[in-house]
Amino acid sequence: MVLTFCYGDVRHRRHEERLAPLPVLSDTDIAYAAGLLDGEGSVTAQISTNASGNPTIGIRVTFVNTHRPVVEWMAHCFPGGYSTGRDARPNRKPLYGVGWRGPAAARLLRTLAPYLRIKRGQASMALRLQSLVLESRLGRGRKLTDEQVDDRR
């Protein structure tokens, strides 16, 4: 299975405040989205290298399903990268997916957190990681406090 996500809606913005506002969602919609993510989603830390060859780390949330309308609904409610793909095995349904990373992923997880059951721990760790990533980007050139050093151990 190969799905390639494009993150055009994030527009390379560094801070969540700069993301497009979410549509107005009911508590029922948020709970439904949390259930979908609990059952069919993934929350991961992504380690890669940038164009300069330096390592980077961030969070990534993906949701993949064979039912296109539900994936389109998630992409509408929580703007992110949208993709289609096909399972490499014969006689399989097409796959559809939506993905978020960085600040967009953090906003999604914070919104869904009260309703998550299975992925609540992963979401909590991902939000903490995103917080550390932002601290390190905003604090370049400053010495870490003892508390920050302890948090990173």
Side-chain angles (χ1 to χ4, degrees), residues 49-116:
T49 55
N50 63 17
S52 304
N54 295 320
T56 62
I57 188 166
I59 63 172
R60 181 175 172 168
V61 178
T62 56
F63 172 71
V64 178
N65 201 288
T66 59
H67 188 64
R68 187 177 193 155
V70 75
V71 176
E72 289 174 345
W73 180 83
M74 284 286 283
H76 168 75
C77 292
F78 304 96
Y82 178 75
S83 178
T84 62
R86 187 166 276 291
D87 194 313
R89 296 171 290 180
N91 301 321
R92 299 291 177 156
K93 292 180 177 182
L95 296 171
Y96 306 95
V98 61
W100 305 265
R101 64 181 176 185
R107 177 174 67 177
L108 171 73
L109 293 175
R110 265 196 295 285
T111 302
L112 302 184
Y115 300 97
L116 289 173

Side-chain angles (χ1 to χ4, degrees), residues 18-149:
R18 296 181 184 168
L19 295 172
L22 293 177
V24 176
L25 300 171
S26 69
D27 287 345
T28 303
D29 287 338
I30 296 169
Y32 179 64
L36 290 172
L37 187 65
D38 262 344
E40 301 290 333
S42 65
V43 178
T44 60
Q46 181 177 6
I47 302 171
S48 58
T49 55
N50 63 17
S52 304
N54 295 320
T56 62
I57 188 166
I59 63 172
R60 181 175 172 168
V61 178
T62 56
F63 172 71
V64 178
N65 201 288
T66 59
H67 188 64
R68 187 177 193 155
V70 75
V71 176
E72 289 174 345
W73 180 83
M74 284 286 283
H76 168 75
C77 292
F78 304 96
Y82 178 75
S83 178
T84 62
R86 187 166 276 291
D87 194 313
R89 296 171 290 180
N91 301 321
R92 299 291 177 156
K93 292 180 177 182
L95 296 171
Y96 306 95
V98 61
W100 305 265
R101 64 181 176 185
R107 177 174 67 177
L108 171 73
L109 293 175
R110 265 196 295 285
T111 302
L112 302 184
Y115 300 97
L116 289 173
R117 300 276 192 250
I118 297 166
K119 293 191 170 56
R120 182 174 285 176
Q122 292 172 340
S124 176
M125 286 189 284
L127 289 169
R128 180 68 181 132
L129 175 62
Q130 182 66 17
S131 169
L132 291 171
V133 166
L134 286 177
E135 279 179 28
S136 70
R137 286 183 185 158
L138 297 174
R140 286 194 175 135
R142 292 188 312 199
K143 186 174 178 176
L144 295 176
T145 67
D146 290 338
E147 183 180 323
Q148 289 171 322
V149 171

